[in-house]
Amino acid sequence: MSFRGKNAVVTGGAGGIGLQVSKQLLAAGAGVAIMDIQDNLEEFVKLRAAHPTQSVMIVKMDVANKKGVEATYEEIAKTFGSIDIVVNVAGIFNDKEVQRTLLVNLGGIINSTLSALPYMSKDNGGKGGTIVNMSSVVGLDPMFIIPVYGATKAGIINFTRCLANDKYHTRSGIKFVTVCPGATMTDMFTNFTEKIIFPETSDETYKILDRLNKQSAADVSRCILSVLEKDKNGAVYVIEGKRVFPIELKPQWTGKEQAL
């Protein structure tokens, strides 16, 4: 995939991995619309100054707000004319706030993805494109200290793989990809033990966090652009140690098992 002249939407683009993805896409020649509930005026000014000839659109929006996200996509499509790429990064970590975590992490991915389809799908006049949804390695393998967060990330993997159906791709021209970063230095780690639901595991949690091999948000963003270049529908990738690893998720149920 060539990014020059393409239009991209990045949720959670005001900071962390999302901001770095926005920078990478702009550097590669794409126009970028950032959707985030957070303000980061200083960084937004820098983005526009660094790329004066490219479209940089900033929309303050909570991805958990379904109607708001739908309206935002309508606004982006009118401004850009088309949408070619969506990278859904927006997410939070606070297992004590169960409903908010579900609404933002899983609900936000679903809201953004489904809202993008009418503007990207070839059977609705769009050009097709690629949607990358960010999950986590804890969506693949359970980590006992963060069950709520992990559940949302597991849901993202299943949701995205469901959409990556060959028949739908043939009709829509949209590819769906999941990325699962390992431990990444973002605000997620700030006051980490204050946001877990089992405070008695705090000592064990610190030991686990100390053992993790952490990567930077910039490392992950570069890997996400590499994934976009691969452009493989239905793929699931682990991002670890600045590298991308494709993984194969084999069916565990065929619907044809013998009755006991």
Side-chain angles (χ1 to χ4, degrees), residues 91-102 105 146 148-149 188 191-192 194-197:
I92 61 171
F93 169 69
N94 190 334
D95 269 20
K96 288 183 177 179
E97 296 186 7
V98 175
Q99 292 302 315
R100 181 65 181 161
T101 299
L102 292 170
N105 290 9
I146 47 176
V148 179
Y149 179 83
M188 174 179 169
N191 301 322
F192 191 91
E194 295 178 13
K195 298 179 283 191
I196 59 177
I197 55 177

Side-chain angles (χ1 to χ4, degrees), residues 19-30:
L19 177 60
Q20 295 301 321
V21 169
S22 300
K23 289 180 177 180
Q24 292 285 332
L25 285 167
L26 285 164

